[in-house]
């Protein structure tokens, strides 16, 4: 339905209502379309008046929709009135109403009322991130930075993940302000980005840059740049942090993978204890490997060729540099078949070590174990993103470690014809926000949402103090 | 006098009141005229000319009026609300806001609601309760309608007809029950065992266990009604387990009279290992024929989250043979997981046992999961599938393939 353009009289509303196919929901549908079309508030009021006069009451959900319309148009006095009415009529409000009220009031000069509402919400539930966002933005808009930071820390303490908008607001509204305390807080936000591997988008990055450059007496200068493959910043010649996992992280990751991915809730789900033990002794006797190959995965690279030929090419290509290879496969590869020729298999076994798992076992788990056991220099070859194994890891910190390790150690084999393996240059530097005290390096994304989570940004903001 | 009064009333009605008032009215008529004039004025005020301005804030007055007295009460109560009561109030408000929230919620459900770990979990649980309530209400309504219709029919029948003479009438259900029990008892002695493995409680949520038990109850029912029932075993069923509690909830007193074997022992302790076959969708082996000498095991597990290989792991651990239904071989699979519900499994196994006909048995696979039965040789099917795929993906794939071929020949020439 199309909402009318002018306030209507009672009869006119009645007429409209009767012409509507299901009159019971007429008001609701009408309000919905008013919100959608952003109708003038007077039209909504006239409908409310009509409803109130004919029923003597207005249902809560209609009030809610009217409130949504008011918030949409920033009608502060109306928002207040609706709040007054709601408070009288109902003992307690629900999250939808609070969301609207907080949002509406925070954008007005009565933003402090939004704060009291936030307190009310806290009594019944954990406020949502948008609730906090509205309040923090309102507070920082009015230069109450202490209050804003207090709210920010509160939401972090409650495990509510801040929106990028909130973080950006801090940089926007403190531009040009002085104060060591303030600076510390904002550096804290940058470190939050670092700890959670969040990359700011372009506009956010610009806010950061402007803030740095606006610090009175700070003499900060920012430049946009691309980091060289060697990990050196072309602007300040600073060497970025090494991407290698620390010894502790590495060991930690290995332990967790054995515990969560290979054993999980039941060792039998991916392998069997006997098999895993056999594999462990096998690996232990032949350590260390340089490259571990996922035999079955690699053998499917070119669907037109025989699977054993694919694998043969891969092994040949990688064996050249005198590297110690381990190929993981399944037992069915040993049975002479149209895809797996016995002679080819024999020849390969001269060049690399092979381990054949049971046909129903998961060879990926073995791949991870063998690579991690061999040490930091060892790489593995597969096209698999191993997402299902990452998902088996029980906490997000380890999942991050896994991803970082995967990014570095995965040799990506591209589907190029006859030139079998082009190794994707593994980053030698760590792609996170980092600082040395007088420099900051911040990777950023071009767009707000970038499609692939496994891609790391290549663009950087270099900030240095002169 | 009377006639004059009537006339006057007429005059008043036709709203020439001012005229009448001017012309010296009788005193006892005045009150009447005054009220009339007042109402007239009001009417004019409200709906007279459309150009007149509407009082747009009138609704606020309406809402605020008549509530002033209540306010004082509510404010006093406002303070101490226990968390449970507060949650209940919030739910009520959500319901008013038009969310899917149940109308009535028990104390226990409210506690489960509060214990939900996240907002989305809470929402899901409420929606579940809401739907449950709706179904219940609908069922009740239908029952009532049915009862009414029955009563009416009875009334009509009593008016027209006397009692019929039929010796079978009332005992039908009872006799069937007896016949079924007799068959089930026979099966307890001579029947082929079928095992339900009840060892997955720790892999399931409370609701999944409830669903699993419901499915088992269904399967037990259709087994009882079949011509040649299985001898059903519930193995690994601990006495105080969730499964057990749910079973009692479903069967109540009948639980102890069921003609099945319930035990807390494992099937490997009861039957020889080489006769056991664990049915699991993850099995690499595909069942070819139904073997009347084997003892099939069905895992009593409902798996709403994705936990692959749980039952396969169990069979591996115990060193048992496994098998999967030949779904791929007989059906053109469309979508959905290959694990079937327990009652579907039971139907399929019963049909296989009686007829050995895969087609008839696999009729019990839900229709949405497959497109049709395989009728042509497999390679022909693959061709059509490829065709469908190329049509779906457009000609891109074909092009890529051609490109490859081209490059390949080029490289060969270069050599």
């Amino acid at each position: 339905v199309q909402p009318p353009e002018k306030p209507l009289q009672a009869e006119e509303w009645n007429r409209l209502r009767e012409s509507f196919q299901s009159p019971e929901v007429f008001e609701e549908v009408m309000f919905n379309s008013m919100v959608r079309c952003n109708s003038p508030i007077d039209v909504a009021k006239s409908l409310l008046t009509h409803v109130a006069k004919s029923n003597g009451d207005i249902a809560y959900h209609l009030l809610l929709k009217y409130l949504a319309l008011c918030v949409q148009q920033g009608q502060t006095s109306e928002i207040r009135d609706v709040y007054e009415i709601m408070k009288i009529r109902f003992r307690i409000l629900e999250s939808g109403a609070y969301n609207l009220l907080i949002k509406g009031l925070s954008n007005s000069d009565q933003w402090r009322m939004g704060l009291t509402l936030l307190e009310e919400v806290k009594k019944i539930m954990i406020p949502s991130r948008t609730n906090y966002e509205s309040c923090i933005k309102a507070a920082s808009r009015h230069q109450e930075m202490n209050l804003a930071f207090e709210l920010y820390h509160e939401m972090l303490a409650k495990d509510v993940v801040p929106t990028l908008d909130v973080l950006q607001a801090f940089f926007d509204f403190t531009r040009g302000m002085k104060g060591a305390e303030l600076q510390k807080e904002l550096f804290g936000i940058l470190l939050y980005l670092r700890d959670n591997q969040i990359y700011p988008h372009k506009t956010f990055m610009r806010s950061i840059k402007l803030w740095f450059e606006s610090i009175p007496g700070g003499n900060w200068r920012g430049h946009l740049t691309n980091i060289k493959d060697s990990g050196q910043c072309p602007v300040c010649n600073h060497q970025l942090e090494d991407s290698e996992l620390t010894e502790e992280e590495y060991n930690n990751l290995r332990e967790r993978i054995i515990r969560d991915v290979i054993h999980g809730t039941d060792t039998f789900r991916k392998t069997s204890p006997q098999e895993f033990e056999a594999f462990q002794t096998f690996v232990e006797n032949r350590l260390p490997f340089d490259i571990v190959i996922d035999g079955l995965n690699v053998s499917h690279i070119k669907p037109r060729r025989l699977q054993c030929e694919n694998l043969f090419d891969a092994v040949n290509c990688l064996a050249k540099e005198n590297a110690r290879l381990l190929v993981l496969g399944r037992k069915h590869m040993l049975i002479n078949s149209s895809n797996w020729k016995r002679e080819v298999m024999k020849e390969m076994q001269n060049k690399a070590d092979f381990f054949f798992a049971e046909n129903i076992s998961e060879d990926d788990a073995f791949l991870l174990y063998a690579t991690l056991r061999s040490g930091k220099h060892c790489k593995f070859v597969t096209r698999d993103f191993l997402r299902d194994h990452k998902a088996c890891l029980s906490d997000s910190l380890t999942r991050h470690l896994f991803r970082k390790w995967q990014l570095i150690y995965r040799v990506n084999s591209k589907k190029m014809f006859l030139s079998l393996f082009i190794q994707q240059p593994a980053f030698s530097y760590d792609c996170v926000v980092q600082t040395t005290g007088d420099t900051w390096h911040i990777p950023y994304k071009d767009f707000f949402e970038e499609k692939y989570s496994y891609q790391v940004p290549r663009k950087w903001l270099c900030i240095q103090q002169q | 006098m009377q006639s004059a009064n009537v006339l006057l009333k007429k005059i008043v009605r036709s709203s020439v009141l001012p005229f009448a008032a001017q012309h010296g009215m009788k005193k006892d008529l005045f009150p009447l005229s005054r009220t009339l004039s007042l109402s007239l004025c009001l009417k004019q005020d409200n709906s007279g000319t459309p150009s007149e301005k509407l009082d747009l804030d009138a609704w606020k007055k309406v809402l605020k009026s008549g509530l002033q007295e209540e306010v004082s009460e509510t404010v006093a109560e406002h303070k101490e609300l226990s968390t449970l009561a507060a949650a209940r109030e919030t739910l009520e408000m959500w319901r008013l806001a038009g969310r899917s929230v149940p109308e009535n919620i028990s104390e226990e459900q409210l506690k489960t609601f509060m214990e939900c770990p996240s907002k989305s979990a809470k929402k899901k649980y409420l929606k579940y309760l809401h739907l449950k309530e709706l179904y219940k209400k609908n069922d009740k309504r239908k029952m009532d309608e049915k009862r009414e219709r029955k009563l009416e029919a009875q009334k009509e029948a009593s008016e027209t007809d006397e009692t019929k003479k039929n010796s079978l009438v009332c005992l039908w259900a009872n006799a069937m029950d007896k016949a079924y029990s007799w068959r089930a008892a026979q099966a307890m002695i001579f029947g082929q065992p079928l095992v339900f493995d009840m060892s997955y409680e720790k892999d399931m949520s409370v609701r999944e266990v409830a669903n699993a038990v419901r499915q088992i109850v269904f399967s037990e029912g259709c087994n009882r009604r079949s011509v040649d029932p299985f001898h059903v075993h519930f193995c690994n069923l601990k006495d105080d387990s969730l499964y057990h509690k749910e079973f009692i909830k479903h069967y109540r007193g009948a639980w102890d009279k069921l003609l099945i074997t319930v035990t807390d022992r494992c099937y490997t302790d009861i039957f020889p290992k080489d006769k056991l076959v664990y049915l699991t969708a993850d099995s690499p082996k595909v069942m070819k024929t139904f073997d009347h000498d084997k003892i099939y095991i069905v895992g009593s597990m409902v798996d709403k989250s994705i936990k692959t290989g749980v039952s396969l792991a169990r069979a591996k651990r115990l060193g048992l043979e496994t098998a999967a239904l030949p779904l791929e071989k007989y059906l053109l699979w469309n979508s959905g997981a290959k694990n079937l519900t327990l009652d579907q499994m039971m139907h399929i196994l019963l049909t296989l046992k009686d007829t050995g006909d895969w087609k008839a048995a696999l009729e019990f696979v839900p229709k949405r999961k497959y497109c049709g039965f395989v009728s042509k040789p497999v390679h022909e099917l693959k061709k059509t599938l490829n065709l469908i795929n190329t049509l779906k993906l457009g000609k891109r794939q074909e092009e890529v393939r051609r490109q490859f071929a081209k490059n390949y020949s080029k490289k060969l020439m270069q050599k």
Side-chain angles (χ1 to χ4, degrees):
Chain A
V1 279
Q2 195 66 31
E5 277 162 20
K6 276 185 197 143
L8 298 187
Q9 300 292 341
E11 288 94 84
E12 290 169 295
W13 278 121
N14 264 334
R15 226 173 295 136
L16 258 185
R17 184 191 156 116
E18 267 145 36
S19 66
F20 190 67
Q21 45 196 340
S22 48
E24 317 84 64
V25 292
F26 169 73
E27 288 89 5
E28 202 179 338
V29 174
M30 186 50 90
F31 267 113
N32 278 343
S33 69
M34 278 182 196
V35 173
R36 202 173 44 243
C37 306
N38 206 6
S39 300
I41 205 150
D42 285 347
V43 182
K45 276 184 182 176
S46 80
L47 179 55
L48 276 184
T49 307
H50 168 59
V51 173
K53 286 231 167 115
S54 48
N55 298 346
D57 193 11
I58 296 172
Y60 181 71
H61 65 115
L62 292 186
L63 275 181
L64 212 56
K65 279 176 183 148
Y66 175 66
L67 183 61
L69 190 67
C70 296
V71 170
Q72 196 169 304
Q73 303 182 356
Q75 306 269 3
T76 314
S77 66
E78 279 305 306
I79 296 171
R80 285 208 61 163
D81 281 354
V82 176
Y83 176 57
E84 290 296 316
I85 287 169
M86 281 184 162
K87 224 168 67 179
I88 297 170
R89 299 294 314 254
F90 307 102
R91 260 214 283 195
I92 154 179
L93 299 184
E94 46 81 56
S95 46
Y98 279 126
N99 282 347
L100 284 170
L101 287 169
I102 290 177
K103 194 173 161 206
L105 292 171
S106 299
N107 284 330
S108 71
D109 49 353
Q110 297 182 334
W111 59 279
R112 277 186 195 279
M113 236 181 102
L115 292 179
T116 49
L117 281 173
L118 186 71
E119 290 302 313
E120 251 178 76
V121 175
K122 275 186 224 159
K123 276 183 212 152
I124 47 174
M125 67 196 126
I126 297 175
S128 69
R129 62 200 294 220
T130 45
N131 288 162
Y132 275 114
E133 182 187 322
S134 313
C135 289
I136 291 177
K137 273 188 177 173
S140 39
R141 199 178 298 123
H142 294 88
Q143 303 296 315
E144 298 244 6
M145 291 323 290
N146 284 340
L147 180 62
F149 277 113
E150 204 177 289
L151 285 170
Y152 170 68
H153 290 303
E154 185 184 304
M155 81 189 277
L156 288 188
K158 284 184 179 168
D159 271 338
V160 182
V161 181
T163 56
L164 283 184
D165 273 5
V166 164
L167 303 182
Q168 192 184 341
F170 281 123
F171 286 95
D172 282 340
F173 289 113
T174 52
R175 203 173 292 160
M177 280 186 182
K178 213 176 166 170
E181 198 57 30
L182 190 81
Q183 207 161 317
K184 214 177 114 199
E185 287 281 9
L186 287 167
F187 285 165
I189 293 176
L190 289 175
L191 293 177
Y192 174 83
L193 295 180
R194 174 192 170 88
D195 290 342
N196 294 286
Q197 262 120 87
I198 300 169
Y199 306 118
H201 47 85
K202 212 170 186 173
T203 47
F204 186 4
M205 175 278 295
R206 213 163 277 141
S207 301
I208 297 173
K209 182 169 177 279
L210 288 176
W211 175 77
F212 266 107
E213 287 168 349
S214 77
I215 298 175
N219 279 330
W220 292 91
R221 279 289 154 270
H223 301 274
L224 304 187
T225 177
N226 290 316
I227 301 290
K228 291 178 195 161
D229 280 343
S230 62
Q232 204 181 36
C233 172
V235 181
C236 59
N237 293 324
H238 173 68
Q239 184 70 30
L240 291 193
E241 279 176 42
D242 203 9
S243 62
E244 293 252 311
L245 273 65
T246 63
E247 207 60 42
E248 196 192 336
E249 283 174 330
Y250 191 82
N251 290 337
N252 199 359
L253 182 65
R254 188 171 63 212
E255 301 293 301
R256 299 302 290 271
I257 281 184
I258 292 171
R259 202 187 76 193
D260 292 344
V261 179
I262 297 175
H263 293 305
T265 52
D266 185 352
T267 316
F268 282 97
R269 273 174 73 175
K270 284 187 174 153
T271 166
S272 67
Q274 294 90 340
E275 192 183 26
F276 186 59
E277 210 166 289
F279 179 69
Q280 269 181 314
T281 41
F282 173 89
V283 171
E284 234 45 65
N285 288 336
R286 289 168 176 78
L287 278 176
F289 298 105
D290 297 318
I291 299 173
V292 183
I293 303 169
D294 183 350
L296 274 176
N297 190 296
V298 168
S299 72
H300 283 100
I301 280 184
K302 279 174 283 176
R304 286 269 171 122
R305 307 192 73 197
L306 292 186
Q307 288 172 13
C308 62
E309 280 182 321
N310 274 329
L311 185 58
F312 187 66
D313 285 349
V315 170
N316 269 345
C317 173
L318 294 168
K320 270 176 203 159
E321 294 131 30
N322 223 358
R324 287 184 56 81
L325 302 184
L326 169 64
V327 181
L328 291 166
R330 293 217 180 103
K331 287 212 165 127
H332 72 79
M333 290 156 77
L334 285 172
I335 300 165
N336 201 10
S337 66
S338 59
N339 255 324
W340 297 99
K341 300 278 180 236
R342 187 164 288 156
E343 312 85 64
V344 184
M345 291 303 287
K346 277 246 173 72
E347 207 176 329
M348 274 194 281
Q349 283 178 42
N350 292 330
K351 297 190 173 173
D353 282 313
F354 273 71
F355 183 85
F356 297 99
E358 292 292 332
N359 291 340
I360 49 172
S361 295
E362 292 228 16
D363 47 2
D364 293 346
F366 293 149
L367 178 85
L368 292 175
Y369 177 78
T371 316
L372 282 167
R373 192 67 194 82
S374 297
K376 281 185 182 180
H377 72 285
C378 182
K379 298 188 162 120
F380 64 90
V381 181
T382 178
R383 282 182 305 168
D384 198 325
F385 284 111
L386 305 172
R387 292 191 181 100
D388 46 344
H389 301 291
K390 192 171 91 180
C392 289
L393 293 169
S394 50
D395 65 308
S396 60
L397 189 72
T398 326
R399 280 204 282 270
H400 273 310
L401 278 185
F402 182 79
R403 201 165 85 85
K404 195 170 157 191
W405 173 76
Q406 193 186 9
L407 279 176
I408 309 160
Y409 291 97
R410 193 160 159 270
V411 178
N412 217 336
S413 53
K414 282 198 182 149
K415 251 193 192 173
M416 294 284 283
F417 208 71
L418 281 180
S419 59
L420 233 184
F421 293 96
I422 294 175
Q423 299 194 359
Q424 194 190 34
F427 295 118
S428 62
Y429 55 92
D430 197 6
C431 196
V432 288
V433 176
Q434 42 194 282
T435 179
T436 56
D438 57 353
T439 62
W440 282 88
H441 287 88
I442 299 165
Y444 68 92
K445 296 186 288 187
D446 258 340
F447 306 103
F448 178 60
E449 281 295 340
E450 234 155 49
K451 207 172 171 192
Y452 302 108
S453 63
Y454 60 83
Q455 280 177 342
V456 286
R458 310 298 305 269
K459 296 188 168 173
W460 289 74
L461 169 67
C462 160
I463 298 169
Q464 48 176 330
Q465 201 166 24
Q466 275 147 7
Chain B
M1 182 63 204
Q2 213 179 7
S3 64
N5 237 348
V6 170
L7 183 74
L8 211 120
K9 265 183 196 162
K10 262 187 193 163
I11 291 167
V12 167
R13 269 191 203 134
S14 56
S15 85
V16 271
L17 195 85
F19 165 74
Q22 266 177 9
H23 289 256
M25 297 290 288
K26 287 219 168 179
K27 269 182 190 167
D28 60 330
L29 274 173
F30 248 99
L32 176 75
S33 66
R34 190 177 291 153
T35 50
L36 271 173
S37 70
L38 250 177
S39 69
L40 263 171
C41 289
L42 254 181
K43 207 174 164 194
Q44 239 175 12
D45 224 54
N46 235 358
S47 61
T49 47
S51 62
E52 201 146 356
K53 208 167 177 267
L54 265 165
D55 181 12
L56 287 173
D57 286 334
W59 59 278
K60 288 179 191 166
K61 281 173 219 148
V62 174
L63 281 184
K64 279 179 185 166
S65 69
L67 276 157
Q68 299 304 332
E69 313 94 64
E70 287 175 42
V71 172
S72 52
E73 278 173 48
T74 47
V75 164
E77 272 176 80
H78 222 274
K79 297 280 144 59
E80 59 263 61
L81 271 173
S82 72
T83 43
L84 270 185
R88 199 179 277 276
E89 294 254 341
T90 317
L91 285 189
E92 179 58 23
M93 291 313 288
W94 273 340
R95 205 174 65 77
L96 286 180
R99 292 212 208 176
S100 22
V101 169
E103 220 169 302
N104 304 305
I105 188 163
S106 70
E107 202 81 351
E108 202 176 321
Q109 285 167 337
L110 203 61
K111 264 181 201 145
T112 334
F113 165 73
M114 305 271 285
E115 278 157 17
C116 286
S118 67
K119 276 183 188 173
S120 62
K122 281 183 184 178
K123 229 184 248 176
K124 244 183 226 168
Y125 182 65
L126 285 179
K127 195 170 176 196
Y128 158 72
L129 289 180
H130 175 68
L131 285 180
K132 210 167 119 183
E133 200 178 41
L134 270 187
Y135 288 136
K136 226 177 188 171
K137 241 187 231 166
N138 267 342
D139 283 350
K140 200 170 173 258
R141 208 197 57 227
K142 275 180 198 159
M143 284 276 278
D144 286 346
E145 278 172 16
K146 208 175 163 187
R147 195 175 300 138
E148 250 167 56
R149 247 179 285 138
K150 216 175 175 181
L151 274 177
E152 266 172 43
Q154 258 179 13
K155 223 185 255 170
E156 271 177 41
S158 61
E159 278 165 18
T160 56
D161 213 76
E162 72 279 3
T163 47
K164 283 181 209 158
K165 281 183 186 167
N166 196 335
S167 57
L168 281 176
V169 162
C170 306
L171 296 173
W172 184 239
N174 207 349
M176 285 306 279
D177 266 353
K178 268 193 188 146
Y180 290 149
S181 303
W182 173 246
R183 271 194 220 144
Q186 290 266 1
M188 290 276 285
I189 307 168
F190 304 112
Q192 181 178 0
L194 177 73
V195 178
F196 282 94
D197 180 7
M198 307 282 183
S199 54
Y200 295 103
E201 200 171 294
K202 61 177 193 323
D203 294 307
M204 287 192 279
S205 67
V206 178
R207 247 170 84 192
E208 282 171 338
V209 172
N211 288 352
V213 165
R214 215 175 133 85
Q215 289 176 13
I216 296 170
V217 171
F218 280 141
S219 353
E220 191 273 327
C222 77
N223 180 55
R224 197 183 335 151
R225 276 186 285 280
S226 71
V227 187
D228 180 19
F230 283 107
H231 176 195
V232 175
H233 285 70
F234 291 171
C235 290
N236 293 323
L237 184 62
K238 303 280 179 295
D239 248 353
D240 49 350
S241 61
L242 254 177
Y243 279 119
H244 189 253
K245 273 179 215 154
E246 284 289 327
F247 273 124
I248 298 284
K249 222 193 233 173
H250 272 280
Y251 280 113
R252 297 209 184 96
W255 173 245
D256 295 322
K257 293 176 203 148
L258 278 183
L259 291 168
I260 54 173
T261 304
V262 178
T263 169
D264 60 352
R265 289 195 300 164
C266 187
Y267 29 85
T268 45
D269 299 339
I270 307 173
F271 303 107
K273 250 188 184 181
D274 54 325
K275 289 217 160 181
L276 291 169
V277 178
Y278 211 114
L279 294 176
T280 161
D282 294 322
S283 171
K285 270 190 211 150
V286 174
M287 201 169 154
K288 287 209 178 68
T289 50
F290 183 86
D291 192 337
H292 295 269
D293 291 330
K294 294 276 188 196
I295 294 150
Y296 291 100
I297 308 168
V298 179
S300 310
M301 178 177 176
V302 168
D303 179 18
K304 284 192 177 163
S305 55
I306 320 135
K307 296 186 200 104
T308 47
V310 175
S311 54
L312 185 65
R314 221 179 139 63
K316 262 204 262 174
R317 180 195 302 276
L318 297 168
L320 299 178
E321 202 185 314
T322 59
L325 292 180
L327 299 173
E328 289 277 82
K329 194 178 161 197
Y330 289 96
L331 301 174
L332 267 176
W333 202 258
N334 182 22
S335 66
K338 297 240 168 58
N339 46 1
L340 303 174
T341 62
L342 301 170
D343 47 317
Q344 284 158 9
M345 237 11 229
M346 180 58 114
H347 274 296
I348 290 170
L349 290 175
L350 278 172
T351 324
L352 280 180
K353 186 154 83 95
D354 294 344
T355 62
D357 180 1
W358 278 107
K359 211 181 154 186
L362 294 182
E363 283 286 343
F364 290 101
V365 177
K367 296 277 180 291
R368 64 170 191 282
K369 286 195 177 181
Y370 63 92
C371 310
F373 279 90
V374 175
S375 49
K376 290 183 229 166
V378 176
H379 65 271
E380 246 175 78
L381 277 173
K382 272 204 176 145
K383 249 190 228 167
T384 38
L385 258 181
N386 277 343
L387 190 72
I388 290 169
N389 274 338
T390 40
L391 284 177
K392 256 190 201 165
L393 298 169
K395 285 172 186 161
R396 235 197 74 228
Q397 236 185 6
E398 199 52 41
E399 237 166 58
V400 170
R401 211 169 281 161
R402 217 173 291 146
Q403 201 67 34
F404 269 140
K406 227 183 188 174
N407 283 348
Y408 184 59
S409 55
K410 233 188 235 168
K411 285 263 164 90
L412 282 183
M413 300 242 273
Q414 278 169 0
K415 272 183 187 174

